[in-house]
Amino acid sequence: LRLLEPIKRRVMMTVGRAVIRAVNDDLSRQLAQVEVMKGELRDAVERMQEYGFTSVPLPGADAAVVFVAGNREQG
């Protein structure tokens, strides 16, 4: 069971709930600053948009964040 502990931790860190703090819509893709856990800010997190629609979420909006392979630097 101890052997599987690192894998379990990475799986648990793959998806998280966040609060949007700021959005940059000036580039070709929309980037957001999100707070995943209290005090854990992540900058330049790409926000996937719905096809055919454009919008900018307001600060304080809830978001679901997916981290590739559980790496908190790749949201």
Side-chain angles (χ1 to χ4, degrees), residues 3-37:
L3 186 63
L4 296 177
E5 199 60 37
I7 295 170
K8 176 185 172 188
R9 193 174 19 244
R10 286 187 82 124
V11 169
M12 295 295 289
M13 300 292 275
T14 300
V15 178
R17 184 170 177 241
V19 177
I20 295 178
R21 295 296 176 207
V23 178
N24 182 355
D25 197 31
D26 296 336
L27 306 170
S28 61
R29 54 192 178 122
Q30 203 173 79
L31 301 177
Q33 180 188 59
V34 297
E35 184 174 8
V36 183
M37 294 182 181

Side-chain angles (χ1 to χ4, degrees), residues 23-25 30 47-50 52-58:
V23 178
N24 182 355
D25 197 31
Q30 203 173 79
R47 179 180 174 267
M48 305 298 261
Q49 295 191 53
E50 307 81 12
F53 295 97
T54 184
S55 64
V56 178
L58 298 174

Side-chain angles (χ1 to χ4, degrees), residues 40-45 67-68 70-75:
E40 182 188 357
L41 284 176
R42 293 286 165 224
D43 287 321
V45 174
F67 296 99
V68 178
N71 181 356
R72 300 295 264 200
E73 301 297 319
Q74 296 290 323

